[in-house]
Every structure is written in C-alpha cells, then in structure tokens.
Amino acid sequence: MNIEQHPLRNNLTRAVSLASVVLAIGAVDAIAQQSALEEVIVTAQKREQSLQDVGISVTAFSGDQIRQLGYTNSTDIAQQTPGLQVQQLHASTTQLNIRGVSQNDFAVHLEGPIAVYVDNAYTSSIGTAHTQIFDLERVEVLRGPQGTLFGRNATGGLIHYLSKRPTDEFEGYGDFTYGSYDQIKFEGAVSGPLSDSARARLSVASNKHDGVMENRIGPDLRDTDTYSIRGQLEFDVTDTFSAYVKVAYAEDDSKGNAYTHFPSTFITESGLGEEITDNGQMPIFLGLLDAIDGMPDLIFGPCSGCDAFGYRETDGDPLEGAFDFIPDFEREISNAQIELTWDLDSFVVTSISDYLEVDRTYGEDTDGSPFDQVTFVDQEDRDQFSQEIRFNGSTDDLTWVAGAYYLDFDVFSVGAVTQDIGPLLTFGFDGSQGAIAGPFPGLQGPLPPTFGVPFDHTGTVESESWAIFGHTEFRVTDTIALVTALRYTEDEREMDLTIDNRELFRDPSAILVLNPSTSPENTTLDFDNWSAKLQIDWTPNEDWLLYAGYTRGHKAGNFSQPFFIPDDPSTLPHDEEELDSFEIGAKGSMLDGRMRINSSVFYYDYSDYQAFFFENLAQNVGNLDANVVGAEFEVVYVPIDPLDLAFGVSFLDSEVEDVGTAVGVFDKELPYAPDFTFNGLARYTWSLSQGFVSAQVDFNYVDDFCFSVTCNPTEEEDSYFVANVQLSYATGDERWRFTAFSKNVGDEEYRATGIDSSFAGVSAASYANPRWYGVTVGFQWN
C-alpha cells in the first residue's frame, strides 16, 4: 500500500478535500449523473492533496473521467491539457512537449526533458512514451521544471500515470470497442481481497486494427497489434507496514511507418528548403558525391515534379502511397516493482524498487516511394533499475519530504539508413531521359539500377545516476506558506559507438570505392548539478490560492549517435541543459463553487538548451541559449447540474538564440511550440428510460509551429483544428454503458512530423490519423 492509501493517513484532511470536490462540481445524487470533470486528488508533491491546494500548474484526470471522456492514449490527454503537445508519427516515436520544452531527436538512447513516470517510477526510454493507457487511478500532467521531488530530467515537466490499485471489495469491468480499420479493442480488470490482509488486481488490454497507411503495391503500414497485462498484489504485513508488488508486460507486433513525400528544393531566394509548387524539374543536391572528382553538385529530376527515380506522388492523399519497403515494429516492455511502506508515527518511510526492460525494433519507408531509395531501421535493448527511498512527515506548521534516488540503465542501439544512389549514376545530368509508361502510378522513365550505400551505427550507452533531495512547506501564518526544495544529482555516461559510414571517391580501377570509416573510442561524461525551488503560497480565503516562485531544473548531457561521421567528431558529446523558471499563478473557485479557474504566467531562462539539428547530413545535438514567456488559463464551469464545460488556453513566445542554418545564423522559435492553443469540452447528461444519456463534444486548436529549431519552410506546420464527438447511454445502476464516438470528426489533415530533405529533391511528412469512429460496450460490477 502506498502512502496515499495508508489507513493512518489524515482522514480529516481527506474529508475536507472530498467535500470541496463535491461542492465544486455540483454533483447530483445518481452516480451516472456525476460530472465527468470533477476535481481529483493528486500527489504532485509526493503527498495526497486536492488539485486546487497545489501551488503547481497541474492538469489531472481520474480513471473514471478517462473512461467517461473516451481517452485511450497520451494524445487524447494532450488535447485537453493546455501547454502540452504530443506529436506521434508512430506508436514507436512520440514527441512530448510542455510549454515549448521538448527534444525532437529520434535517437533511442537519449532521454527527453519531459519525464514519464509510471506508478512513481521513472521511464528513461522515449520509445515507451506512447503505450496503451488502461485501468488507471489517474493521470497527472505537471507543467514547469519538477527537478526537486521527481528529479529525473523533468526540465519542462512530466506526465505521471498511476495504476488503479487492488481494492478491499470485489469489483471489475470490461470495455469492448469496434472501430475504423477493423479495430478490435478490449480492456478490463478484476480486483478484490484475497484475505483480510491481502488484495489483488489483474488488468488486461489489447488493441488491433488494420494499417492506416494504404499501400498500393503491398501490405498497408502503421497498423496496430498490441496487448498488455498488469498484475498487482498488496499486503498489510502489520498495522504499520505494507508491501505492494506489481508485474507488467506489454507486446507490440505490427508493421512500421512510411512517409509521404513531396517535391522540394533549397535553390530558393531564402536558401532554405521549400516545397515546389510549379511544374519545373527539381534540382537535386548530390552532397554524398562531393568527393567524386569532376562530378557536379546539381542534377535535375527526370520529369516535372519527380524525384531522382522518376516517381511522383499524384493522388493527393497523405495516407496513401506506393511503398516497397515493408518494415516491422516489434516491442516488448517488461516491468516489475516492489513498494514498501512503514508508518513510524512521526514519519512514513517509502521504498520503491523498479526494474524495466525494453526490447524494440522499428522500421520505416523513409522515401515513401516504390523504390528502395532511403529506408530506416533501428533497434533498442534497454535494461533499467531505479531505487528511491523517501521519508514523509509533518507537524502543525511544517510538511516535509526527504530522500535518495539511484538510477542505472544500459542501452544497446543499432540504427541503419540505406541510400540507393543508382538513379544518380544513371540519369543524365541535364535531366534528359526517355519517358515511358512505368509500372506505378506517377512513374515516368525506365527503372534505374540499384546501388545501395548503407550508413549505420552501433552504440552502447551506460548511464548511472544518484541524487539526494529535500522538500519543505512551512506555514508562516494561517494564510502564508513558504515552500523550499533542493536536490543534488550526479550523472555518469559511458559510450561505445561505431559508425559504419562509407564515403565515395573516384579511383582509376573502379567506378566507386567503398571506404569504411573509423570507430570513435570509448568516451565518458560526468555531470553534477543542483535543482532548487523557492515559492510563497498565499490563501487569502478558502476559495483561492495564489503562488509565486522560482524553480531550477536541469537535464544531463549525453552523446549523439549519427549515421554519418560529423566534420568534427568532438561535437558528438553535448553538455547538460539548465532551465530557470519564474512563475506566478492563481487557483480559485467562483459562483458558489460551480466555476473553477486556474491560471499561470511564467518566464523561462534556458541555458545550453539541447537543440537537435542536421549538420552536413549528420544528425547532432548542440547547446544553445533560449527563453520562453508564456501563460495558461483553465476554466471548468457547471452552469447547471447536467452540463459540464471546460476550456483551456495557452500562449507562448519562445526564442532560441544563434541557430545556424544553411544561409546564416538567426534567432528561431523552439520546435513544437505554437504561439497559441485553445481546447474545450462540453458534456450534457439527461435521464432516459431508467438510465442516463451523455452527449459530448471536445476540440483542440493548435496554432502554426515548426518541427525543428532550424525551421525550414518545409518543416512549418499550419494551424489545425481537431474535434471529437461521442454519445453514451448508461443504465441507472451504471453496470452497462454503450458509447458511439468519432475522433477527428472533421477528418482534419495535419502532420505529426516533417523532415526537410530538399537536397534530394523531395521532403518527407508523416500525417496523424484520419477520422476514426466506433462503438464501445462497457460492463462493470462492484
């Protein structure tokens, strides 16, 4: 049992918090009519508190809310969380961004600045950021640096998934969904007592659907075939000592991704990659062949709007194409956790031991064409162990938390890019080529020979970290509290990297000679840093909390693992980043508790921001300075008992200094950082035939933004608007629930990522899922 569930907790505090929740949501007698937007109890400060009593910018959803609102993954959560952006081009690759802070490097050995926690344990793999969410107690999204209590790399914030724990009473549920692309989805759980002092819970989930990327010449891509299982045991060993054990396993076995390509060029007035909209032939940059004596740097595609192979995508559907490479996506996630809790009267001791293993293989048809031009495959084998020991205590005026943390993980990764240069050696440099009918739509010219040039790396990164931390909240007066926190962290990383890059050059005895490159020597990096917090909380009355404070967070440095050797190999390591945050906020309720308002204004001073960019085709991470000014505003309003309304707005103004581009050095915006977002939800419930009907609409508007810090025109994403609708009927006893839904009901086309490769005459894009509809039948008992 965790500290929040311990029988000796402060029952009076809990009763007051729950009473305020009931008042705030205007709940009515029937359970089925309770607000889907009711406030939840959170543990954002490692102790149980009402959401409105926490001086942190937090958005939280209870497990019941998640089921009622129809949320099934992290993208759904993001659509109703101001300041949070989740861009997912595939289940294996998810970019998390909070208030403009993110890391868009796809290398699997790197950790992101948005920390993901599952049941109080940190998850270091960005390849597990998107998994099924099922049978949860709640989800908490904490904005701003969380470097003191949570600690690990939470420069921009964190997302915390907390599983529903075993119960004292027998209960269970099951939800079955049938949807678009022949989706068959199930989740369910059964929970109850094993004895007077032991409880258990078993949860399962599965999801399977056909490929979203329609392939005209082979199997469709980006399908889903996954299942998960989680078992939990909880024991009351004595009146003051409890033990909790969790074992979880998840498996994916499906196909990978493909990109849609579009003609582009960097031969423009700006000198940056831009999409080609006229009918001219595309110039193609032969940077790979610079070393071939006498060969020009530019040729032209063999036909209007075609790539170097003579292929052009003409159907206008970003989720349809001709993909020759059929990659796999296989992922296994194994997790075991032991949590021990001792109540020693004056304080509580909690020990959390967690083991995580991730085995993952992912591939994609990067060029998005019927030819084997560019393909990408990577593999991740990760072993992670973490240990936290935490002490919680309180007196009349002081609440405190102290502890120590240890993390050790090893990542073995393999990445391979294959570039076929056959057509570049075959087509005339003036672009002349006899046009004949090809076997694929949009293809002109003869099939060129293939000449594969592989670029790959094999690397191992071993990371070890330890930290000590303390957090206090001292009540200076009845209305003013002083919050202080400090955390000291040491990190050590060791890398062993081999880059199998083959450079081309002319030789008298051969057309091309492949020359293997060097292997960097083992390298070790050491970091130590402080995270800190100083804040004043003011509660002028029982309805409002005002806070102002300073928080410092940091993220350790690491190594880049490019496929191409950079001009200067000494640039492979990058330094740690630091973020100083200054924030003021207000949380309150109005209109007799029917309206809840949360707002915050902040300024970020970002030192050595870890910016991802390409440098002569070698991906790399460099340190730059940046700053962010922003604000968020959330409103929950229950004008009448059956109607829930919620709205959220975020504003951002970010700047990254001295970003190097192909045409100079400029100040740019942070990637995935729209200036403005607006989300909303309306849900109305009424009685019908001894049951209850709920109609819901929610939406999310995202202003334009860029996919990279260099922000070429090909990487600029226009604003988009996504809306979802659902209609549910629940029986009066709430045992049965029937729901019809449609996600992205307007079938909005928007990109999850964009890659500028205009040097090759085309650039790539991966689009989010189209309109998705289905029905869910749910049953529960208790």
Short mmCIF file of all heavy atoms in Angstrom, two decimals, residues 233-265:
data_model
loop_
_atom_site.label_atom_id
_atom_site.label_comp_id
_atom_site.label_asym_id
_atom_site.label_seq_id
_atom_site.Cartn_x
_atom_site.Cartn_y
_atom_site.Cartn_z
N LEU A 233 -0.30 -7.09 -6.34
CA LEU A 233 -0.60 -7.66 -5.03
C LEU A 233 -0.27 -6.63 -3.96
O LEU A 233 0.73 -5.91 -4.06
CB LEU A 233 0.22 -8.93 -4.78
CG LEU A 233 -0.09 -10.15 -5.64
CD1 LEU A 233 0.93 -11.25 -5.39
CD2 LEU A 233 -1.50 -10.65 -5.36
N GLU A 234 -1.12 -6.57 -2.94
CA GLU A 234 -0.92 -5.62 -1.86
C GLU A 234 -1.16 -6.33 -0.53
O GLU A 234 -2.18 -7.02 -0.37
CB GLU A 234 -1.90 -4.45 -2.03
CG GLU A 234 -1.51 -3.18 -1.33
CD GLU A 234 -2.41 -2.03 -1.78
OE1 GLU A 234 -3.64 -2.18 -1.72
OE2 GLU A 234 -1.87 -0.99 -2.20
N PHE A 235 -0.23 -6.15 0.41
CA PHE A 235 -0.30 -6.87 1.68
C PHE A 235 -0.19 -5.88 2.84
O PHE A 235 0.65 -4.98 2.82
CB PHE A 235 0.85 -7.88 1.81
CG PHE A 235 0.95 -8.86 0.68
CD1 PHE A 235 1.78 -8.60 -0.41
CD2 PHE A 235 0.22 -10.05 0.70
CE1 PHE A 235 1.88 -9.49 -1.45
CE2 PHE A 235 0.33 -10.95 -0.34
CZ PHE A 235 1.16 -10.68 -1.42
N ASP A 236 -1.00 -6.07 3.86
CA ASP A 236 -0.83 -5.39 5.14
C ASP A 236 -0.07 -6.36 6.04
O ASP A 236 -0.67 -7.23 6.70
CB ASP A 236 -2.18 -5.03 5.76
CG ASP A 236 -2.96 -4.05 4.89
OD1 ASP A 236 -2.32 -3.25 4.20
OD2 ASP A 236 -4.20 -4.12 4.91
N VAL A 237 1.25 -6.24 6.04
CA VAL A 237 2.07 -7.18 6.81
C VAL A 237 1.81 -6.99 8.30
O VAL A 237 1.65 -7.96 9.04
CB VAL A 237 3.55 -6.98 6.47
CG1 VAL A 237 4.41 -7.99 7.24
CG2 VAL A 237 3.78 -7.12 4.97
N THR A 238 1.78 -5.75 8.75
CA THR A 238 1.41 -5.39 10.12
C THR A 238 0.51 -4.16 10.05
O THR A 238 0.20 -3.66 8.96
CB THR A 238 2.65 -5.10 10.99
OG1 THR A 238 3.25 -3.88 10.55
CG2 THR A 238 3.66 -6.24 10.92
N ASP A 239 0.14 -3.63 11.20
CA ASP A 239 -0.68 -2.41 11.21
C ASP A 239 0.09 -1.21 10.67
O ASP A 239 -0.53 -0.22 10.24
CB ASP A 239 -1.15 -2.11 12.63
CG ASP A 239 -2.17 -3.13 13.13
OD1 ASP A 239 -2.76 -3.82 12.27
OD2 ASP A 239 -2.36 -3.22 14.35
N THR A 240 1.41 -1.28 10.68
CA THR A 240 2.21 -0.13 10.27
C THR A 240 3.13 -0.41 9.07
O THR A 240 3.86 0.47 8.64
CB THR A 240 3.09 0.34 11.43
OG1 THR A 240 3.97 -0.72 11.83
CG2 THR A 240 2.23 0.79 12.61
N PHE A 241 3.09 -1.62 8.54
CA PHE A 241 3.98 -1.98 7.44
C PHE A 241 3.17 -2.66 6.34
O PHE A 241 2.41 -3.60 6.59
CB PHE A 241 5.08 -2.91 7.93
CG PHE A 241 5.98 -3.44 6.83
CD1 PHE A 241 6.70 -2.57 6.03
CD2 PHE A 241 6.11 -4.80 6.61
CE1 PHE A 241 7.51 -3.04 5.02
CE2 PHE A 241 6.93 -5.29 5.61
CZ PHE A 241 7.64 -4.40 4.81
N SER A 242 3.32 -2.16 5.09
CA SER A 242 2.60 -2.73 3.96
C SER A 242 3.55 -2.95 2.80
O SER A 242 4.61 -2.29 2.70
CB SER A 242 1.45 -1.81 3.53
OG SER A 242 1.95 -0.56 3.09
N ALA A 243 3.18 -3.87 1.92
CA ALA A 243 4.01 -4.19 0.75
C ALA A 243 3.12 -4.22 -0.49
O ALA A 243 1.98 -4.70 -0.44
CB ALA A 243 4.71 -5.53 0.94
N TYR A 244 3.67 -3.71 -1.58
CA TYR A 244 2.97 -3.68 -2.86
C TYR A 244 3.89 -4.24 -3.93
O TYR A 244 5.07 -3.87 -4.02
CB TYR A 244 2.56 -2.25 -3.20
CG TYR A 244 2.14 -2.02 -4.64
CD1 TYR A 244 0.88 -2.39 -5.08
CD2 TYR A 244 3.02 -1.43 -5.55
CE1 TYR A 244 0.50 -2.17 -6.40
CE2 TYR A 244 2.64 -1.20 -6.86
CZ TYR A 244 1.38 -1.58 -7.28
OH TYR A 244 1.01 -1.36 -8.59
N VAL A 245 3.38 -5.17 -4.76
CA VAL A 245 4.16 -5.79 -5.82
C VAL A 245 3.39 -5.65 -7.13
O VAL A 245 2.18 -5.96 -7.19
CB VAL A 245 4.43 -7.28 -5.53
CG1 VAL A 245 5.22 -7.91 -6.68
CG2 VAL A 245 5.18 -7.44 -4.21
N LYS A 246 4.08 -5.20 -8.17
CA LYS A 246 3.47 -5.07 -9.49
C LYS A 246 4.35 -5.75 -10.53
O LYS A 246 5.58 -5.58 -10.53
CB LYS A 246 3.29 -3.60 -9.87
CG LYS A 246 2.64 -3.39 -11.24
CD LYS A 246 2.66 -1.93 -11.67
CE LYS A 246 4.03 -1.51 -12.13
NZ LYS A 246 4.06 -0.16 -12.74
N VAL A 247 3.73 -6.50 -11.43
CA VAL A 247 4.42 -7.09 -12.58
C VAL A 247 3.59 -6.75 -13.82
O VAL A 247 2.37 -6.96 -13.83
CB VAL A 247 4.56 -8.61 -12.44
CG1 VAL A 247 5.22 -9.19 -13.67
CG2 VAL A 247 5.35 -8.97 -11.19
N ALA A 248 4.24 -6.20 -14.84
CA ALA A 248 3.52 -5.78 -16.04
C ALA A 248 4.30 -6.20 -17.28
O ALA A 248 5.54 -6.27 -17.27
CB ALA A 248 3.30 -4.27 -16.03
N TYR A 249 3.55 -6.46 -18.36
CA TYR A 249 4.16 -6.86 -19.62
C TYR A 249 3.31 -6.31 -20.77
O TYR A 249 2.08 -6.36 -20.71
CB TYR A 249 4.28 -8.38 -19.73
CG TYR A 249 4.82 -8.87 -21.06
CD1 TYR A 249 6.18 -8.86 -21.32
CD2 TYR A 249 3.96 -9.33 -22.06
CE1 TYR A 249 6.69 -9.31 -22.53
CE2 TYR A 249 4.46 -9.79 -23.27
CZ TYR A 249 5.82 -9.77 -23.51
OH TYR A 249 6.32 -10.20 -24.71
N ALA A 250 3.96 -5.77 -21.80
CA ALA A 250 3.26 -5.27 -22.98
C ALA A 250 4.03 -5.71 -24.22
O ALA A 250 5.27 -5.75 -24.21
CB ALA A 250 3.13 -3.76 -22.94
N GLU A 251 3.29 -6.03 -25.28
CA GLU A 251 3.93 -6.50 -26.51
C GLU A 251 3.24 -5.90 -27.73
O GLU A 251 2.00 -5.85 -27.79
CB GLU A 251 3.88 -8.03 -26.58
CG GLU A 251 4.52 -8.61 -27.84
CD GLU A 251 4.53 -10.13 -27.83
OE1 GLU A 251 5.09 -10.71 -26.86
OE2 GLU A 251 3.98 -10.73 -28.77
N ASP A 252 4.04 -5.45 -28.69
CA ASP A 252 3.55 -4.97 -29.99
C ASP A 252 4.17 -5.84 -31.08
O ASP A 252 5.36 -6.17 -31.03
CB ASP A 252 3.96 -3.52 -30.23
CG ASP A 252 3.33 -2.56 -29.25
OD1 ASP A 252 3.86 -2.43 -28.13
OD2 ASP A 252 2.32 -1.94 -29.61
N ASP A 253 3.37 -6.16 -32.08
CA ASP A 253 3.87 -6.93 -33.23
C ASP A 253 3.08 -6.48 -34.45
O ASP A 253 2.02 -7.02 -34.77
CB ASP A 253 3.70 -8.43 -32.99
CG ASP A 253 4.35 -9.27 -34.09
OD1 ASP A 253 4.99 -8.67 -34.97
OD2 ASP A 253 4.19 -10.50 -34.07
N SER A 254 3.59 -5.46 -35.11
CA SER A 254 2.86 -4.89 -36.23
C SER A 254 3.85 -4.40 -37.27
O SER A 254 5.03 -4.76 -37.24
CB SER A 254 1.94 -3.76 -35.75
OG SER A 254 2.69 -2.77 -35.09
N LYS A 255 3.38 -3.56 -38.19
CA LYS A 255 4.24 -3.02 -39.23
C LYS A 255 4.63 -1.59 -38.87
O LYS A 255 3.96 -0.92 -38.10
CB LYS A 255 3.55 -3.06 -40.59
CG LYS A 255 3.21 -4.47 -41.06
CD LYS A 255 2.51 -4.45 -42.39
CE LYS A 255 2.11 -5.86 -42.80
NZ LYS A 255 1.07 -6.39 -41.88
N GLY A 256 5.71 -1.14 -39.48
CA GLY A 256 6.22 0.18 -39.17
C GLY A 256 5.51 1.27 -39.94
O GLY A 256 4.33 1.16 -40.29
N ASN A 257 6.25 2.32 -40.24
CA ASN A 257 5.65 3.54 -40.77
C ASN A 257 6.18 3.82 -42.17
O ASN A 257 7.17 3.23 -42.61
CB ASN A 257 5.97 4.71 -39.84
CG ASN A 257 5.20 5.96 -40.18
OD1 ASN A 257 4.02 5.89 -40.54
ND2 ASN A 257 5.86 7.10 -40.10
N ALA A 258 5.52 4.72 -42.85
CA ALA A 258 6.01 5.25 -44.13
C ALA A 258 5.70 6.73 -44.18
O ALA A 258 4.73 7.20 -43.58
CB ALA A 258 5.36 4.53 -45.30
N TYR A 259 6.53 7.45 -44.89
CA TYR A 259 6.33 8.88 -45.05
C TYR A 259 5.67 9.18 -46.40
O TYR A 259 5.82 8.42 -47.37
CB TYR A 259 7.67 9.62 -44.99
CG TYR A 259 8.24 9.74 -43.60
CD1 TYR A 259 8.99 8.72 -43.04
CD2 TYR A 259 8.02 10.89 -42.85
CE1 TYR A 259 9.51 8.84 -41.77
CE2 TYR A 259 8.55 11.02 -41.58
CZ TYR A 259 9.29 9.98 -41.04
OH TYR A 259 9.81 10.10 -39.78
N THR A 260 4.99 10.28 -46.45
CA THR A 260 4.54 10.84 -47.71
C THR A 260 5.57 11.85 -48.16
O THR A 260 6.00 12.69 -47.38
CB THR A 260 3.18 11.53 -47.54
OG1 THR A 260 2.21 10.58 -47.13
CG2 THR A 260 2.73 12.17 -48.85
N HIS A 261 5.99 11.74 -49.43
CA HIS A 261 7.00 12.72 -49.87
C HIS A 261 6.38 13.72 -50.84
O HIS A 261 5.37 13.47 -51.48
CB HIS A 261 8.22 12.02 -50.44
CG HIS A 261 8.10 11.50 -51.84
ND1 HIS A 261 8.85 10.47 -52.31
CD2 HIS A 261 7.35 11.88 -52.90
CE1 HIS A 261 8.56 10.23 -53.57
NE2 HIS A 261 7.66 11.08 -53.94
N PHE A 262 7.02 14.89 -50.89
CA PHE A 262 6.55 15.94 -51.78
C PHE A 262 7.78 16.65 -52.35
O PHE A 262 8.82 16.73 -51.70
CB PHE A 262 5.64 16.92 -51.05
CG PHE A 262 6.23 17.53 -49.80
CD1 PHE A 262 6.94 18.72 -49.86
CD2 PHE A 262 6.10 16.90 -48.58
CE1 PHE A 262 7.49 19.28 -48.72
CE2 PHE A 262 6.64 17.46 -47.42
CZ PHE A 262 7.35 18.65 -47.50
N PRO A 263 7.68 17.14 -53.60
CA PRO A 263 8.85 17.78 -54.23
C PRO A 263 9.26 19.04 -53.48
O PRO A 263 8.43 19.84 -53.05
CB PRO A 263 8.35 18.10 -55.64
CG PRO A 263 6.87 18.13 -55.54
CD PRO A 263 6.52 17.12 -54.48
N SER A 264 10.55 19.23 -53.31
CA SER A 264 11.06 20.40 -52.61
C SER A 264 12.46 20.72 -53.11
O SER A 264 13.11 19.89 -53.74
CB SER A 264 11.08 20.16 -51.10
OG SER A 264 11.97 19.12 -50.77
N THR A 265 12.92 21.92 -52.82
CA THR A 265 14.25 22.35 -53.24
C THR A 265 14.78 23.39 -52.27
O THR A 265 14.02 24.09 -51.61
CB THR A 265 14.23 22.93 -54.66
OG1 THR A 265 15.55 23.35 -55.02
CG2 THR A 265 13.31 24.15 -54.73
#
